[in-house]
Amino acid sequence: MTLRDRLGALLGGYPGDSFALVTQGRVRDFDGWVLEDLCFHRAGEDIPALFLRPPEGHPPVPAVIYAHAHGNNYATGREELVEGRPALIGPYGPDLKALGCAALCLDMPSFGNRQASDEQARAKAHLWRGGTLFGQMLAELGAGIGFLSDHGSIDATRIGALGFSMGSTHAFWLAALDVRIRAAAALCSFADLGMLVESGAHEGHGLYMTVLGLVGQASTGEIAGLTAPRALMIAAGFRDWSTPEPAFRKAEGELRAAYAAAGVAEKLRFHIEPEIGHQETPAMRRAVLDFLRQELVG
């Protein structure tokens, strides 16, 4: 069994089901593009989403699965794409549109319009049944990739993943598990999990990330290394509770080794600002957009 298969088993299965049904709600103009309210249906649950895309008749464009953050702000889900959050310098929607890149952002379980069942209740239910909330999140994002791949306005060969904090973890895991991802950018959450547990820093992460037996099966660097030979960007600051430098450096070293072994060291990019905490900076935003322009859009 490959490492990718073992990780899928630990999560409780990946990629899981596709979306059985999609319904459309409000449609808005977004600076000449279209911003759609969608509702996906999977496993008996409604999953609200925002889809930013070009208008009908436009040639197919690249797209990203935009994975929203956590921040203990359960009210903010898919709207982060167009409204941003305090830790970001602004929403990504306008910048992605300016790049000519579509985006799909789903409300993750317990966020946005899905707060009726909270994170703790969902995580416990999954663990008791032998699954994981993290696996559900990734499976839904994987179904989102399928939706993008089948949509007429999207170039299925140019689909990426992008996220900050919880969204960072989703982005590099999604790239590791799903070869349909061509490029992924993960901001402000990348560190060796074993070292985080040893130091107690893992307590900063939400219960959603609990995957039984994970540390004994694979390290963060090994997981992210499954993305090779496809493009990956990691952004971090060392005053960030989620990326203490020793734990970051271990993961970084393993990730660099994986890309070197694949003969594609140039496809791996790091943006490190040592004095920055758990936040995006203008320089980080520029680096992310340059990466997407080069690896996904260009």
Side-chain angles (χ1 to χ4, degrees):
M1 183 181 289
T2 67
L3 176 56
R4 188 176 282 125
D5 290 337
R6 294 202 305 274
L7 292 173
L10 286 174
L11 292 170
Y14 183 87
D17 301 329
S18 60
F19 293 128
L21 178 66
V22 181
T23 56
Q24 184 187 66
R26 183 172 53 156
V27 178
R28 290 168 274 174
D29 175 77
F30 194 91
D31 191 25
W33 274 29
V34 175
L35 184 65
E36 290 183 285
D37 286 300
L38 301 179
C39 187
F40 297 109
H41 305 277
R42 180 181 181 273
E45 188 170 3
D46 289 343
I47 304 170
L50 280 182
F51 184 31
L52 175 62
R53 62 167 178 83
E56 300 294 337
H58 194 285
V61 299
V64 296
I65 284 282
Y66 182 89
H68 69 73
H70 189 301
N72 293 313
N73 180 4
Y74 295 98
T76 299
R78 66 194 185 283
E79 294 293 341
E80 181 185 308
L81 176 65
V82 293
E83 295 181 1
R85 64 170 55 235
L88 297 174
I89 63 168
Y92 262 92
D95 285 340
L96 291 170
K97 187 267 176 184
L99 277 182
C101 185
L104 177 69
C105 186
L106 314 175
D107 275 352
M108 287 288 92
S110 301
F111 291 85
N113 283 9
R114 303 176 71 187
Q115 296 178 69
S117 181
D118 67 27
E119 180 181 350
Q120 179 169 287
R122 286 179 180 270
K124 285 181 178 179
H126 275 290
L127 293 170
W128 285 341
R129 293 168 178 155
T132 65
L133 178 53
F134 193 47
Q136 179 187 352
M137 291 175 166
L138 289 169
E140 290 177 359
L141 292 167
I145 296 172
F147 169 81
L148 289 173
S149 298
D150 293 338
H151 199 279
S153 69
I154 304 304
D155 180 347
T157 68
R158 293 190 291 165
I159 295 176
L162 167 63
F164 169 85
S165 193
M166 178 176 76
S168 170
T169 305
H170 285 157
F172 75 76
W173 267 82
L174 197 62
L177 293 172
D178 203 317
V179 297
R180 295 175 294 179
I181 293 293
R182 176 167 170 165
L187 287 66
C188 298
S189 185
F190 184 77
D192 182 76
L193 290 179
M195 292 185 71
L196 289 184
V197 172
E198 290 171 5
S199 69
H202 68 294
E203 273 293 290
H205 286 291
L207 191 57
Y208 78 92
M209 270 187 69
T210 303
V211 179
L212 292 178
L214 176 60
V215 171
Q217 288 290 325
S219 66
T220 301
E222 290 170 333
I223 294 165
L226 294 174
T227 307
R230 293 162 291 128
L232 178 62
M233 176 183 174
I234 304 292
F238 294 147
R239 294 188 181 275
D240 183 343
W241 63 267
S242 72
T243 57
E245 186 171 2
F248 177 88
R249 292 300 188 190
K250 181 176 185 296
E252 176 196 13
E254 293 174 346
L255 183 52
R256 288 189 186 277
Y259 270 76
V264 288
E266 73 282 359
K267 289 292 184 179
L268 177 62
R269 193 178 303 182
F270 287 91
H271 179 87
I272 300 171
E273 297 186 50
E275 299 304 314
I276 295 301
H278 197 64
Q279 65 189 88
E280 186 189 35
T281 67
M284 193 180 294
R285 176 66 64 98
R286 290 193 296 271
V288 169
L289 296 176
D290 285 344
F291 170 80
L292 293 176
R293 183 180 296 108
Q294 177 179 333
E295 300 292 348
L296 195 64
V297 177

